[in-house]
Amino acid sequence: MSAPLLSVEDLRVSFPTPTGRVEVVKGLSFDLGRERLGIVGESGSGKSMTGRAILRLVRAPGRVAAKRMEFEGTEIQSLPERRMRDLRGARISMIMQDPKFSLNPVMTVGRQIAEALQAHERLGRRATRERVLEMLEAVRINDPERVASMYPHEISGGMGQRVMIAMMLIPRPSLLIADEPTSALDVSVQAQVLDLIDELVRDHGMGLILISHDLNLVSRYCDRIMVMNAGRVVESCAASELHRAQHPYTQGLLAAVPRMHETRPTLPVLDRSQWSGT
Amino acid sequence: MSAISLQDLDISYGTAKVVEGVSFDVAEGESFALVGESGSGKSTVLKAIAGLAPDWTGGISVLGQPRGHRPDRGFARRCQMVFQDPYGSLHPRKTVDTVLSEPLQVHGLGNRDARVEEMLGAVGLDRRFRFRYPHQLSGGQRQRVAIARALMLEPKVMLLDEPTSALDVSVQAEILNLLKRLRAEQGLTYLMVTHNLPVVGFMCDRMAVMNRGRVVEIAPAAALHDGSFSDPYSRALYAASGGTAHD
């Protein structure tokens, strides 16, 4: 694993406001191999913008700048938009938060997945269909033939998210960015979906960036964790070391989660004056 | 007298019966949770109590007074609901002030200015938020506004439909603390729907576990400490959430 899959140096994302440009990501650097990286933070910490910036999905007037942003050795920033489109989906995929809003409501599930495949590969109709059914089976959908002919409103949230995963993985990308993939799902289904992502990522030797606000969840499914606050990484550690986190922000986030054996009369709330930045 | 009493409640949407034979009593001042997966009918029970799912049979009474199938003004003064998604439950083109004054206007209550101000204070929002629109507020602030709106008529019973599931963990802690404090200060009764068992452990005294439209078990919150559930489904749910609990 000599060359990292993705290498980012000094990534900055900014948006204009009436009082001047505001940076929402302030100089982020990291290298990602074929491993699972978790990015954790509250809303507004810049974690989702980081994911979008990698895919060059930050729209004007937002502005992205980085000293270096290389994917498989290619600088992404200078790629023309056409080359970028070949990369998106085919090499780097992103799973969005809510299947309800990310699936096309007037297209059957099977056609949507096929479309994702046809955008990047030239395949005959029969081969496409086979790949679609195979993929649906891989995301553990019991009756792929039936589900492929259904519309998004006819399937449940958990199944919708599995369809999304199928769609994102069918062109066999080497990096998967999952932005809160399970926050719209039930606890019981959450674990299933994450186990599935985990298994597929391992089997295909992909890199994974899991973006979430849930520290415990990220620590279970990732090798490494970056904790972000106000556009900066405040702490970076191995997932197994999370409970030994040093930064008050990380400790605060950990303490704010209610526990199954809850006895505390009130939950500790983040004291935002404790650290600089905000 | 119990705050909420449900007898043999069946609820349907069209021809589909989604809740069947639900009966339980919530004592005054108690905090009671309904837990289960999506589709188990837990939110539908709240909706039926609030009058938003009018196709039901059986008995619903709140604070000793039975509820009919039609909108009920007096009922609104006793019982209010807070919805899951603070991004969807506030009118995007109405200021916080308008949203909070409206219930007072509808019920012909006076002294609106002072009441709005007082309620903003009670839910921990600064005065400067009063004339803002929902898009100018964060998720946590919006949920505070939604809670304030529900409390404007000084109800005794609050129906909470996943009040924190759309929020960050850090903001969730603030809102849960707020709900707990308000309950103590105003002597409220909570009926709360959630799929997050640790939240039940923090907020509630008892819980009803629902599966496929039926209540399979009613257990004390203490069951979360030792997992002493009797029904196999509750145990499975506990096990699925147990992994996420961090102790």
Side-chain angles (χ1 to χ4, degrees):
Chain A
M1 219 154 298
S2 47
L5 194 59
L6 178 75
S7 173
V8 175
E9 196 184 333
D10 198 27
L11 172 69
R12 290 171 187 278
V13 181
S14 63
F15 283 90
T17 66
T19 52
R21 277 206 164 254
V22 170
E23 282 198 330
V24 294
V25 178
K26 300 166 183 160
L28 192 75
S29 304
F30 66 92
D31 284 324
L32 179 82
R34 295 191 181 270
E35 58 177 338
R36 300 167 302 162
L37 172 71
I39 303 183
V40 194
E42 290 175 272
S43 321
S45 61
K47 57 187 195 307
S48 292
M49 273 303 153
T50 305
R52 288 171 162 263
I54 295 167
L55 277 170
R56 286 213 347 224
L57 286 175
V58 179
R59 288 211 194 136
R63 203 184 285 158
V64 180
K67 283 211 183 100
R68 202 158 52 85
M69 196 150 76
E70 286 175 10
F71 174 72
E72 292 180 328
T74 322
E75 176 59 58
I76 335 184
Q77 290 182 84
S78 55
L79 279 185
E81 191 53 31
R82 269 193 60 192
R83 294 275 316 279
M84 196 61 213
R85 272 207 293 273
D86 292 338
L87 200 70
R88 272 188 215 123
R91 312 298 308 141
I92 312 178
S93 260
M94 187 160 178
I95 297 177
M96 306 280 185
Q97 198 161 4
D98 196 334
K100 251 185 287 177
F101 299 115
S102 316
L103 293 173
N104 186 342
V106 295
M107 218 189 211
T108 62
V109 162
R111 254 186 80 200
Q112 289 186 58
I113 301 176
E115 192 185 37
L117 182 62
Q118 283 161 343
H120 301 285
E121 276 176 58
R122 288 202 156 274
L123 279 178
R125 207 185 318 165
R126 179 168 299 173
T128 307
R129 182 160 176 80
E130 261 166 35
R131 277 278 290 279
V132 168
L133 294 181
E134 191 183 303
M135 196 65 226
L136 280 172
E137 216 159 304
V139 295
R140 291 199 209 106
I141 281 178
N142 288 330
D143 190 353
E145 302 251 356
R146 191 174 59 90
V147 175
S149 62
M150 283 163 96
Y151 285 91
H153 73 269
E154 299 174 299
I155 58 179
S156 68
M159 214 190 255
Q161 200 59 306
R162 270 180 258 195
V163 168
M164 283 275 289
I165 295 171
M167 200 189 296
M168 293 305 133
L169 293 185
I170 200 164
R172 300 183 179 142
S174 50
L175 172 61
L176 181 67
I177 302 173
D179 188 357
E180 303 263 15
T182 58
S183 58
L185 305 177
D186 265 2
V187 212
S188 44
V189 188
Q190 257 179 21
Q192 289 169 18
V193 168
L194 285 166
D195 286 339
L196 176 68
I197 293 180
D198 191 52
E199 190 189 309
L200 294 171
V201 164
R202 281 161 186 267
D203 288 356
H204 297 226
M206 293 159 48
L208 171 71
I209 298 181
L210 180 61
I211 300 172
S212 172
H213 67 264
D214 189 335
L215 270 169
N216 293 317
L217 185 141
V218 166
S219 72
R220 262 192 296 150
Y221 288 97
C222 293
D223 307 309
R224 213 148 52 85
I225 294 182
M226 291 196 318
V227 182
M228 284 186 75
N229 177 229
R232 286 196 177 82
V233 173
V234 295
E235 184 150 12
S236 182
C237 63
S240 49
E241 302 285 294
L242 183 68
H243 58 281
R244 266 179 265 163
Q246 296 295 314
H247 197 277
Y249 178 73
T250 317
Q251 290 173 342
L253 276 187
L254 278 171
V257 184
R259 299 172 189 152
M260 197 61 96
H261 300 253
E262 193 56 76
T263 47
R264 296 172 291 182
T266 54
L267 295 170
V269 168
L270 284 174
D271 176 6
R272 283 157 217 279
S273 59
Q274 263 188 48
W275 51 89
S276 58
T278 33
Chain B
M1 182 178 65
S2 50
I4 302 172
S5 173
L6 304 181
Q7 288 108 26
D8 208 17
L9 187 66
D10 289 359
I11 311 169
S12 320
Y13 290 131
T15 52
K17 201 179 232 186
V18 289
V19 171
E20 256 187 292
V22 167
S23 308
F24 59 77
D25 282 88
V26 182
E28 234 176 310
E30 195 183 8
S31 173
F32 191 89
L34 279 176
V35 300
E37 294 175 51
S38 5
S40 62
K42 55 194 195 313
S43 295
T44 302
V45 171
L46 283 203
K47 284 188 185 164
I49 300 173
L52 297 171
D55 191 3
W56 53 267
T57 56
I60 301 178
S61 65
V62 171
L63 296 168
Q65 300 189 35
R67 180 184 211 317
H69 285 77
R70 316 189 65 181
D72 182 346
R73 230 161 219 272
F75 180 83
R77 310 252 338 227
R78 297 191 295 275
C79 179
Q80 282 284 332
M81 183 154 170
V82 176
F83 297 88
Q84 178 169 11
D85 181 5
Y87 294 88
S89 68
L90 295 179
H91 196 299
R93 298 187 63 172
K94 288 188 174 173
T95 60
V96 171
D97 180 67
T98 319
V99 161
L100 296 188
S101 315
E102 205 170 321
L104 299 177
Q105 227 164 340
V106 169
H107 290 265
L109 300 176
N111 204 7
R112 287 176 211 154
D113 185 64
R115 283 182 198 234
V116 168
E117 191 120 316
E118 188 194 345
M119 194 50 75
L120 279 177
V123 298
L125 283 176
D126 211 294
R127 306 175 52 167
R128 66 203 156 99
F129 290 109
R130 185 165 169 187
F131 294 101
R132 289 198 189 173
Y133 287 94
H135 72 265
Q136 295 168 303
L137 306 176
S138 70
Q141 287 162 350
R142 286 182 216 206
Q143 200 57 305
R144 283 174 197 266
V145 173
I147 292 169
R149 173 179 59 185
L151 288 173
M152 282 316 286
L153 294 174
E154 297 167 14
K156 282 288 154 208
V157 177
M158 292 274 273
L159 307 172
L160 308 169
D161 189 2
E162 308 243 16
T164 59
S165 65
L167 306 173
D168 273 1
V169 278
S170 49
V171 183
Q172 164 172 290
E174 290 173 23
I175 297 294
L176 290 178
N177 285 338
L178 170 71
L179 286 170
K180 208 168 182 178
R181 176 170 61 79
L182 288 169
R183 179 161 84 100
E185 282 173 3
Q186 308 194 12
L188 301 170
T189 305
Y190 285 166
L191 176 58
M192 179 165 158
V193 161
T194 180
H195 62 249
N196 188 333
L197 290 181
V199 167
V200 175
F202 177 70
M203 285 282 295
C204 301
D205 311 315
R206 285 194 302 153
M207 76 192 103
V209 183
M210 288 191 69
N211 184 26
R212 296 174 181 214
R214 293 172 180 279
V215 170
V216 297
E217 182 171 5
I218 294 180
L224 294 171
H225 291 239
D226 48 12
S228 59
F229 291 98
S230 56
D231 187 84
Y233 177 77
S234 327
R235 267 187 255 140
L237 191 69
Y238 180 71
S241 319
T244 58
H246 180 83
D247 295 78

